[in-house]
């Protein structure tokens, strides 16, 4: 495997100032994104993190433009992947690495592209998202908490972004990632904790279908004149994705797979194929007949002492909630309720499918499950 990332070490100033903090050092996924963005006005730690990213976003695009390269877009999902890796570095290992160990608490994927897949539920929305820069810090030269008003916070964010940019610019590997003409988007995370600070940048390459995000939050208006954030409007061309419904449907199905994996219940291809039939049988006799047809002789033996249970659940959300993955909690709640119905009986395997249809401004999510359960 060819690794497309590079690392460096940078010693940063670190502040002990006490912020109000809702954002925590945990693993975030796409389903958490909307909630994080909604709390930015109230969370100074989140403001500091994204304000530093805003300054870095300007620096990297000014730099690219000065070298004749197109600007790159900002992406919140790549930011989450970068932030998750920062937390891993800071909390789990306390040194720099581009790989993660599954045994660690904050593991989200062995390699950078795996960590992006973790955030987006393996939906393959990005092309070549394995390019990564990262660095660490020292907790030397702590700043006084009494002088950190909004202007001080903004200056601290700018200084941090500039130091990261300068360090990466001096390193050939980092610099290549920042100037790669094929790179179309990035997410860069800076986190600040009592044990130190880390920064990670994750880049993805050109793709035809894409929807960029913005860092122009209203809470920054008193800190940065957003009109003066001079990012040359010379970006790669793209078309907005047309398959949002299908893509989100896949993520919902992936959540179902993850749930059963967490319960150590294996997926059964025969049961899955049965849920794809135009009319999924529901009568026990018909279910067993269909299962034997799929499994042959194996199915006959597997049905000794077992029966097949059919479940169907419907979840309705408005379209915006569905795209924001607000179905995640209802899906897990319904699956937990279904599996708890069997009062200790072993669920040997499962098969299922998730289908969605848009009805006006609402989306109907249909979850079909077949479970092979001991009698």
């Amino acid at each position: 495997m060819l690794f497309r990332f590079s690392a460096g070490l940078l010693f940063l100033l670190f502040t002990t100032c006490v912020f109000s903090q809702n954002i925590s050092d945990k693993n975030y996924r796409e389903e958490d994104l909307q909630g994080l963005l909604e709390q930015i006005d109230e969370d100074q730690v989140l403001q500091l993190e994204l304000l530093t990213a805003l300054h870095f976003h300007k620096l990297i695009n000014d730099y690219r433009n000065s070298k004749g390269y197109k600007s790159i877009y900002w992406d919140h999902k790549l930011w989450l992947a970068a932030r998750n890796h920062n937390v891993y570095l800071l909390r789990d290992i306390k040194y720099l690495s581009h790989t993660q160990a599954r045994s660690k608490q904050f593991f989200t994927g062995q390699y950078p592209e795996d960590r992006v897949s973790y955030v987006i539920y393996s939906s393959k929305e990005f092309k070549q998202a394995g390019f990564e820069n990262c660095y660490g810090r020292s907790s030397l030269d702590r700043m006084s908490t009494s002088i950190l008003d909004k202007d001080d916070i903004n200056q601290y964010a700018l200084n941090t972004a500039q130091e990261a940019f300068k360090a990466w610019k001096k390193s050939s590997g980092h610099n290549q990632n920042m100037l790669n003409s094929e790179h179309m988007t990035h997410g860069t995370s800076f986190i600040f904790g009592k044990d130190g600070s880390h920064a990670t940048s994750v880049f993805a390459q050109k793709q035809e279908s894409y929807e960029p995000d913005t860092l122009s939050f209203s809470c920054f208006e008193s800190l940065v004149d957003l009109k003066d954030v001079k990012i040359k409007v010379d970006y790669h061309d793209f078309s907005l994705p047309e398959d949002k419904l299908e893509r989100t449907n896949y993520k919902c199905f992936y959540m179902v797979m993850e749930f059963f994996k967490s319960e150590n219940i294996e997926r059964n291809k025969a049961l899955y194929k049965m849920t794809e039939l135009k009319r999924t049988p529901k009568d026990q006799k018909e279910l067993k007949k269909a299962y034997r047809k799929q499994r042959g002789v194996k199915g006959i033996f597997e049905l000794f002492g077992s029966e097949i249970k059919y479940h169907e659940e419907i979840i309705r959300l408005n379209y915006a909630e569905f795209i924001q993955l607000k179905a995640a909690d209802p899906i897990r709640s319904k699956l937990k309720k279904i599996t708890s119905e069997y009062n200790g009986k072993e669920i040997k395997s499962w098969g299922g499918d998730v289908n969605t249809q848009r009805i006006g401004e609402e989306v109907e999510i249909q979850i079909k499950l077949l479970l092979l359960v001991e009698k």
Side-chain angles (χ1 to χ4, degrees), residues 19-121:
F19 294 111
S20 63
Q21 182 172 7
N22 294 313
I23 193 170
S24 60
D25 288 352
K26 58 172 284 189
N27 293 336
Y28 287 107
R29 305 185 80 164
E30 186 181 347
E31 68 183 81
D32 305 307
L33 186 54
Q34 190 60 32
L36 285 173
L37 299 180
E38 289 173 355
Q39 74 182 39
I40 188 170
D41 287 337
E42 307 298 327
D43 193 326
Q44 288 178 300
V45 171
L46 186 56
Q47 288 175 26
L48 177 60
E49 290 187 16
L50 290 175
L51 185 59
T52 308
L54 172 62
H55 285 301
F56 181 82
H57 184 58
K58 175 185 180 300
L59 287 167
I60 191 173
N61 275 336
D62 284 347
Y63 182 42
R64 288 175 64 89
N65 296 160
S66 72
K67 298 293 184 179
Y69 298 115
K70 291 185 176 182
S71 299
I72 55 176
Y73 298 101
W74 171 261
D75 193 279
H76 292 322
K77 296 170 191 174
L78 295 181
W79 164 62
L80 288 183
R83 192 182 195 280
N84 288 340
H85 190 53
N86 279 339
V87 173
Y88 174 87
L89 296 175
L90 189 61
R91 300 298 182 221
D92 275 346
I93 62 174
K94 304 187 189 307
Y95 60 85
L96 288 180
S97 175
H98 287 291
T99 59
Q100 293 189 7
R102 191 175 296 274
S103 60
K104 299 295 184 179
Q105 178 184 359
F106 293 103
F107 173 84
T108 55
Q110 186 174 6
Y111 301 117
E113 54 265 47
D114 301 326
R115 299 190 281 274
V116 173
S117 291
Y118 171 85
V119 171
I120 62 175
Y121 295 94

Side-chain angles (χ1 to χ4, degrees), residues 182-334:
E182 293 296 309
H183 286 172
M184 182 174 178
T185 182
H186 79 115
T188 300
S189 165
F190 298 83
I191 63 171
F192 308 85
K194 66 179 182 179
D195 298 322
S197 306
H198 278 79
T200 296
S201 253
V202 177
F203 301 87
Q205 293 201 341
K206 292 178 185 177
Q207 51 206 73
E208 292 182 6
S209 176
Y210 182 66
E211 187 169 12
D213 297 311
T214 179
L215 276 167
S216 300
F217 298 104
S218 59
C219 58
F220 296 157
E221 290 178 357
S222 63
L223 303 175
V224 180
D225 186 346
L226 298 176
K227 294 179 182 179
D228 289 337
V229 179
K230 297 176 181 177
I231 302 172
K232 185 179 178 183
V233 184
D234 183 17
Y235 293 92
H236 299 283
D237 294 330
F238 67 90
S239 60
L240 291 173
E242 297 178 356
D243 63 340
K244 282 188 177 182
L245 203 68
E246 181 180 343
R247 203 174 264 179
T248 310
N249 180 81
Y250 172 83
K251 294 172 186 178
C252 291
F253 178 67
Y254 195 87
M255 292 172 192
V256 175
M257 289 197 296
E258 280 199 332
F259 173 83
F260 283 106
K261 186 177 181 180
S262 71
E263 298 290 321
N264 296 314
I265 301 171
E266 292 185 358
R267 188 179 173 199
N268 186 315
K269 290 183 179 180
L271 293 177
Y272 170 70
K273 289 180 180 178
M274 288 166 62
T275 61
E276 285 191 314
L277 299 174
K278 289 184 179 179
R279 186 187 72 83
T280 302
K282 300 177 184 179
D283 177 79
Q284 187 63 213
K285 186 177 180 180
E286 289 183 338
L287 282 168
K288 289 187 174 182
K289 181 179 178 180
Y291 189 71
R292 287 192 293 267
K293 184 176 180 181
Q294 292 287 341
R295 294 286 284 173
V297 176
K298 287 184 178 180
I300 296 173
F301 288 101
E302 287 173 343
L303 289 172
F304 284 137
S306 300
E307 55 188 348
I308 301 172
K309 295 293 186 179
Y310 176 85
H311 294 272
E312 183 176 320
E313 297 288 345
I314 300 293
I315 300 170
R316 288 186 176 87
L317 298 170
N318 67 49
Y319 180 74
E321 290 175 331
F322 175 70
I323 298 301
Q324 294 165 6
L325 296 185
K326 295 292 181 68
D329 286 340
I331 286 173
R332 296 187 188 110
S333 178
K334 288 184 181 294

